[in-house]
Every structure is written in structure tokens, then in C-alpha cells.
Amino acid sequence: MYYKLRQDVLFRQYDEYGLITDNSEYGYRMLNDMKRPRGEKYVSNSGAIMLATLDKIPKYIDDIVSELQNIFVGVDFETLKKDTIEFFQYFVDEGFLTIGDKIENCQDCDDKKNDKKEKQDSTAIIIGQDECAKGVLNSNDFLRSIHIEIASACNERCVHCYIPHKYKTDVMDTNLFYRIIEEGRKLNIIHVTLSGGEPLLHKEFGGFLQKCRELDLSVNVLSNLTLLTNEIIEEMKKNPLLSVQTSIYSMNPDVHDNITKVDGSLAKTLCGVKKLLKAKIPIQISCPVMKQNKDTFVDVIKWGYNNNIAVAVEPVIFASYDHSKNNLSNRLKLDEIEKVIDCELDEGYGNMIWNAAIEKESMKNDDPICSVCRFSFCVSVKGDVYPCAGWQTNVVGCLETQNLSEIWKNSDKIKCLRKIKRKDFPRCVDCKDRGYCTVCMMSNSNENQDGDLFRINEFNCKVAELKHNKLIAYRSKNSMND
């Protein structure tokens, strides 16, 4: 019998445990997608040793057991073989491994398994969880994701962008990028996000993708796709762990192009999207709603449905990170947001919002407020390290004088951020609307002139209350119609 890891599965071995995961956390799901995701599983040290014998090329079970006998000294061959087959079968059943009686039969196939015991709403949000029953994970030993700004320069000038236009000037030094992902891989990172500005402006973008693939990394590209080439698409197709996110603001070119301030930008982005669809590369559309597209954004949702593309809608744009709040002149007022929520509900987002609220309401007072600097951080085009993409005034380290490991383990600012819990936002702990907002330290900091990350903006509280009331009325109406 032959075994191998699926092409869309990653495995990492740590000192005390192992982690096997698929790409669901970085992929995209339609509202009506009922397929049960594989998610991720933690395994014991001995289980990690067994899984570490596998890669993406089929291996014969006897060869695997012979290799394991060098580690599990004193265990006879047949006993070890029986235990290994039993252990692997669990992960075959869960969809992480493939099995075949011959090498040519050990190939990936669609997971058609339908777990009837698991009740999952078709519109459920899939949220990555920190689930390790034995508690072997410490807050500072599992850097799983790095967001890398490979170009602050951008060929568009979107009016709502949280990056001030005056800072959109540079591209990352090529050697710095390779250093970042190589140091990250030594720390066992799983995922990288490549963004900008516009990342495709970097002349080495294709090489960056190739290196990420060679290092067995999941990749998410945030791009407007206007500079997409066939060569880049060919490299994207080689990595089964790669996905793309782009922004479309309206299907009306006058509206979209007025937001990007570049004539013809919608046509170019749509051309890029269609090329990715043809190449079967996972893609999601982001559609932040603002004054310019509040009357036409719903057409983006419908276009996404018709083309089997998930569309993420956000009715409240972030303030720019320089605290100027200049971009907020484009933010919707409360009555305009109410109409956006009505449209979301009409288009089927109701259960998704409700399930997300249940998840948030279940959080405990001692739960961390955010995953930043617990599992991830960002690196700017110049090598400054900060908690997340929009929080570039909060520098927690610098790669000019430090390496990633030193920053991750020793940064005093990171240590402080890890200590922040939900109870540190007392007005939010028992708020009846807590399930309908996200307590975002970055958003708080950007909204406040002094950068105070603990002071909640009242506008966001009003939006949460509005969304909550809308959901109650929506569910009440639907229950009466059933």
C-alpha cells in the first residue's frame, strides 16, 4: 500500500507535537457550500514522527515502516506496520492523506465524504481555531503566518485606502523578501500573504511565488489584477495552496473607476478575474462599501454568485493608519449602512452573520482579543515589523537589526500585545451587541489621534447595535414565514 500527503495539505513538525492542515483557512467558500472542511489537526510527538515520513510523492508502507524502525527502536516490524497503517487510515478518512495499492492509484481526488453526524449550516463561517487539547502551544512559539508588503507602490489611488497615498512609493528589496520567507520557514510558518500597494508591480513577483511553492507555503495574493500576466498565472497554477483576493467595488465602470481613480481599471480587473477562473485558481472578491458604490455594490455580489466566486462585503471602511482620517470622508453614515445591511440580508448573508455572532458571544473574558502577534505579524516594504496590515504606526521590530526569531520571541511590544484580553475592554465584555462587532485594536488606534488602542469609537458601537437589531428582525420574520 502507498500513502502520501494531498497536494493541498501542509504538515509541520514541532518539538512536542505536529500540525496537519488543509488550505480552508486561506481559501474561499460560497454561502451555499455545504462541504465539510478538513480543517486542521494536532497530533502527539509520535504521531508527528509518523506523518513526517510522508510528502507529496507516494511512499510504500514497508519503506515507511523501515524508516520508522530507526526511531522507534525495539518495536518489531509487523507491530509498527499495523500501528502506522491504523494511524494513517484516520487521516485518509479525514481527507488529509491519499492511499493506493499502486503508485499510480495513490492520487488526489475530490473528498465526497459527507459526515452526517456534523450539522453545519450551509452559510456557516469557517473560522480558524487555536485548538490543542493538551495545551502544548505557548503564545510565543507558533508563528504560522506572515503578511509581507512587497510593494508599497500602487498603480491605483483608491479613495478609501487605509494606506496614505504619499507612502505608496517603494518596492521591497528582493534579498530581503527571500530572507523573510527563509527565516519564516525555519520557524515553521505555514502561510504568507503577498500584498501592497500592488504586489504585481514587483519585477520579481513570479520568483517570489516560485520560492514560496518550493518552501511548501500556502500563499494568498492581494492584488487588483490589472498587471496579471500569463507567466504569473502559470506559476500560480503550480501551487495548490495559492489563492487570490481582489477588490471590485461596482460592476458599473464609472463607479469602480471613480473609486480607483484609474480609467479602465474595472475592465482590467475583470479580465484578470476571468483568467484566474479559467485557470481554476481560488479567488475571492472583496467589496468594501462606501458612498461611491452604496447603490451598486449588490451587483458585485450577484456577479460573484453567477461566477461561483465568494464576495466579502464590508460596510465600514478602516481609517488610514496615519491618524489623519482623511479617507473617512468616503465612509457611509449610519442610515446608509442600514440599507447595506438590508441588502446583505436579502442576498443571503443573514445566517453567516448570525453564526459569526454566536462564535464571538462564546468568547471568554480571558480569551485573547486578537490573533496578531500570537500567530502572525506583518512586514513592511522597508523591513519594519508591525502587528497587522493596517497598523503601520505600531512598529514591533526591525529586520535591519534583528531577525524574525528575535522579534517574535523577544519584542517587548509583542509581549504586551499578547497579554491583552477581552476583559481589558470592559464596556465590550457584557455588551448585548458584542457578537456584531469586532474589537479591533488596529481600528481603535487608527481612529484615535493619540493612537489609543483601548478607546472604542462610538460609531462602531452604533453599527453593531444596528446590525444586531436588523438580524433579530430578520430571523423573526423568517421564522414566522416558515
Side-chain angles (χ1 to χ4, degrees):
M1 197 63 69
Y2 291 82
Y3 295 90
K4 77 177 193 69
L5 294 171
R6 284 181 58 104
Q7 294 299 318
D8 54 358
V9 165
L10 290 170
F11 172 73
R12 297 289 187 266
Q13 185 176 14
Y14 302 90
D15 292 337
E16 302 176 63
Y17 57 93
L19 171 67
I20 190 166
T21 178
D22 74 355
N23 200 33
S24 292
E25 186 174 351
Y26 307 110
Y28 313 117
R29 306 192 73 197
M30 297 295 289
L31 291 178
N32 60 355
D33 186 353
M34 298 185 69
K35 183 176 66 177
R36 186 172 68 94
R38 293 188 292 268
E40 58 188 27
K41 303 287 184 184
Y42 291 94
V43 298
S44 65
N45 184 45
S46 59
I49 292 171
M50 290 182 176
L51 287 174
T53 62
L54 301 178
D55 54 30
K56 305 298 176 66
I57 300 173
K59 291 181 69 172
Y60 184 51
I61 184 61
D62 285 2
D63 294 335
I64 294 170
V65 176
S66 295
E67 184 178 335
L68 289 174
Q69 274 197 306
N70 295 322
I71 302 172
F72 297 109
V73 179
V75 183
D76 70 87
F77 187 92
E78 290 303 324
T79 298
L80 186 54
K81 181 176 180 178
K82 177 179 178 294
D83 291 344
T84 302
I85 290 174
E86 182 179 325
F87 179 74
F88 283 172
Q89 188 59 48
Y90 170 80
F91 290 96
V92 171
D93 292 341
E94 291 295 309
F96 292 99
L97 306 182
T98 56
I99 185 174
D101 56 352
K102 299 178 181 179
I103 289 180
E104 56 269 26
N105 295 335
C106 189
Q107 302 297 327
D108 291 358
C109 59
D110 291 335
D111 182 10
K112 301 183 187 303
K113 177 181 176 182
N114 182 20
D115 189 342
K116 296 181 180 180
K117 293 183 291 184
E118 176 153 349
K119 296 179 180 179
Q120 180 179 325
D121 193 286
S122 63
T123 58
I125 281 183
I126 306 304
I127 300 176
Q129 296 295 315
D130 173 18
E131 297 181 68
C132 189
K134 295 183 179 179
V136 296
L137 295 181
N138 295 316
S139 62
N140 66 342
D141 70 355
F142 189 28
L143 175 62
R144 69 183 297 159
S145 178
I146 302 177
H147 187 132
I148 308 174
E149 181 190 70
I150 63 174
S152 63
C154 191
N155 60 339
E156 295 183 342
R157 286 291 180 266
C158 298
V159 297
H160 65 291
C161 186
Y162 58 76
I163 303 175
H165 298 321
K166 62 184 178 182
Y167 298 126
K168 298 180 178 181
T169 57
D170 299 312
V171 296
M172 177 173 280
D173 178 78
T174 299
N175 291 330
L176 175 59
F177 175 83
Y178 288 125
R179 177 192 155 195
I180 291 169
I181 60 170
E182 286 169 357
E183 288 184 10
R185 190 61 181 84
K186 289 178 181 178
L187 291 171
N188 266 331
I189 65 168
I190 293 171
H191 179 74
V192 293
T193 295
L194 305 181
S195 77
E198 173 46 53
L200 269 61
L201 282 171
H202 203 296
K203 64 180 182 179
E204 296 297 327
F205 183 77
F208 292 169
L209 291 184
Q210 179 180 339
K211 187 64 174 180
C212 290
R213 172 171 54 85
E214 292 171 351
L215 291 176
D216 197 26
L217 293 169
S218 170
V219 181
N220 188 213
V221 178
L222 310 184
S223 168
N224 59 41
L225 302 180
T226 60
L227 303 174
L228 189 64
T229 64
N230 291 333
E231 290 76 18
I232 290 174
I233 292 175
E234 287 305 308
E235 177 55 44
M236 287 180 168
K237 287 166 62 177
K238 295 177 183 178
N239 189 344
L241 295 162
L242 182 142
S243 55
V244 177
Q245 178 177 316
T246 194
S247 294
I248 298 179
Y249 308 107
S250 172
M251 301 312 296
N252 182 331
D254 291 337
V255 176
H256 179 96
D257 295 357
N258 184 45
I259 292 173
T260 65
K261 298 303 178 185
V262 177
D263 291 341
S265 59
L266 175 62
K268 291 180 180 179
T269 295
L270 287 176
C271 180
V273 170
K274 292 172 182 177
K275 287 181 178 180
L276 293 178
L277 284 174
K278 185 177 180 180
K280 301 186 184 305
I281 295 169
I283 182 167
Q284 182 187 49
I285 294 172
S286 174
C287 184
V289 186
M290 60 206 89
K291 291 185 178 298
Q292 291 85 343
N293 67 334
K294 61 183 175 63
D295 296 322
T296 60
F297 80 93
V298 71
D299 294 334
V300 178
I301 297 175
K302 293 177 178 178
W303 189 86
Y305 283 169
N306 291 337
N307 289 276
N308 200 34
I309 303 175
V311 179
V313 177
E314 177 49 62
V316 183
I317 60 175
F318 291 125
S320 57
Y321 68 67
D322 63 355
H323 308 296
S324 68
K325 298 192 282 190
N326 291 334
N327 63 328
L328 295 190
S329 61
N330 304 287
R331 179 185 276 178
L332 299 178
K333 295 180 180 179
L334 204 61
D335 61 328
E336 294 170 323
I337 291 176
E338 180 177 7
K339 294 178 181 178
V340 172
I341 296 172
D342 286 337
C343 286
E344 287 184 278
L345 297 178
D346 290 342
E347 294 301 323
Y349 287 75
N351 287 339
M352 182 185 74
I353 298 170
W354 182 263
N355 289 328
I358 293 173
E359 186 73 30
K360 292 176 183 178
E361 289 169 351
S362 69
M363 294 179 180
K364 310 299 182 184
N365 291 354
D366 286 324
D367 285 343
I369 196 66
C370 186
S371 66
V372 297
C373 294
R374 295 181 61 243
F375 305 117
S376 64
F377 55 33
C378 300
V379 182
S380 76
V381 70
K382 292 298 187 182
D384 288 331
V385 179
Y386 44 91
C388 63
W391 205 356
Q392 297 188 28
T393 54
N394 187 10
V395 178
V396 300
C398 177
L399 290 176
E400 185 176 348
T401 57
Q402 303 165 285
N403 60 41
L404 284 184
S405 180
E406 289 171 338
I407 296 171
W408 184 249
K409 295 177 180 177
N410 302 328
S411 168
D412 289 335
K413 287 188 175 181
I414 285 180
K415 291 177 181 177
C416 288
L417 287 170
R418 288 183 186 140
K419 292 178 182 178
I420 298 175
K421 310 293 184 183
R422 295 187 63 80
K423 63 185 178 184
D424 294 316
F425 297 82
R427 67 173 293 182
C428 304
V429 168
D430 296 318
C431 177
K432 65 180 178 62
D433 306 311
R434 65 187 182 279
Y436 297 86
C437 76
T438 299
V439 182
C440 179
M441 297 183 289
M442 175 272 288
S443 177
N444 293 345
S445 177
N446 289 0
E447 295 270 0
N448 297 318
Q449 193 64 41
D450 59 2
D452 186 351
L453 61 90
F454 292 101
R455 192 163 71 249
I456 306 293
N457 185 280
E458 292 293 335
F459 181 77
N460 292 327
C461 297
K462 293 177 181 178
V463 172
E465 181 181 21
L466 174 63
K467 186 179 292 187
H468 191 181
N469 291 337
K470 284 286 182 182
L471 260 290
I472 291 174
Y474 170 79
R475 289 179 65 84
S476 176
K477 178 182 178 182
N478 282 0
S479 63
M480 288 189 296
N481 292 336
D482 289 343

